[in-house]
Amino acid sequence: MKLIAPPPLDKRALGKAVGDELLKRHGKQRHYSFQRIADVVDLLGFGADALSWALALFASPEDFEAYHATIGQPRDYGSMKSEIFDAMTEGASLDWFDIDMSWLEWPDFDFGSLFDFFDIG
């Protein structure tokens, strides 16, 4: 039997779907808890690989590191966060990128077009 690799993860679609659901369920937060992110990733039917990417975008560095230590699969928070920010901003310049920056602190982006439930006002 020939194994077929799953399609590559669409990080922008993942970030948008998870972000929309987190905003709808829990409102705007600088970081969401591991459990809230895991629940949303599961609810939306994304796999384990997607959880790591969602954590890089929406969790604190400490929660990200704790999860990966627990499962024995270390990941680089900074590089994953940078890569998913790049996907979410469609390759916009990352000169402003700061590893400690929450998704709420992104400069000059129309959040309404990224997250359906984001209310700017």
Side-chain angles (χ1 to χ4, degrees):
M1 173 187 277
K2 183 178 178 182
L3 295 176
I4 299 173
L9 181 63
D10 181 342
K11 295 176 190 80
R12 181 175 170 81
L14 168 75
K16 181 172 178 0
V18 172
D20 283 347
E21 195 64 29
L22 286 168
L23 284 166
K24 183 170 97 175
R25 291 174 174 270
H26 307 292
K28 293 184 277 188
Q29 297 179 17
R30 179 171 166 77
H31 298 290
Y32 295 91
S33 70
F34 165 81
Q35 195 58 57
R36 286 182 171 177
I37 297 167
D39 288 347
V40 166
V41 168
D42 184 53
L43 173 77
L44 296 173
F46 290 107
D49 185 47
L51 178 56
S52 290
W53 289 105
L55 289 169
L57 186 58
F58 296 110
S60 70
E62 296 79 17
D63 282 352
F64 177 92
E65 297 295 339
Y67 168 71
H68 288 94
T70 300
I71 65 169
Q73 295 179 350
R75 298 283 190 268
D76 185 304
Y77 175 77
S79 64
M80 287 186 75
K81 187 168 186 173
S82 176
E83 190 172 329
I84 198 160
F85 266 38
D86 185 58
M88 293 297 296
T89 60
E90 297 182 319
S93 171
L94 293 181
D95 292 341
W96 52 267
F97 180 75
D98 177 350
I99 191 67
D100 295 322
M101 183 181 287
S102 162
W103 67 278
L104 286 174
E105 299 168 313
W106 292 354
D108 302 319
F109 287 99
D110 177 8
F111 286 111
S113 68
L114 286 176
F115 301 109
D116 294 336
F117 292 96
F118 195 85
D119 180 17
I120 301 180

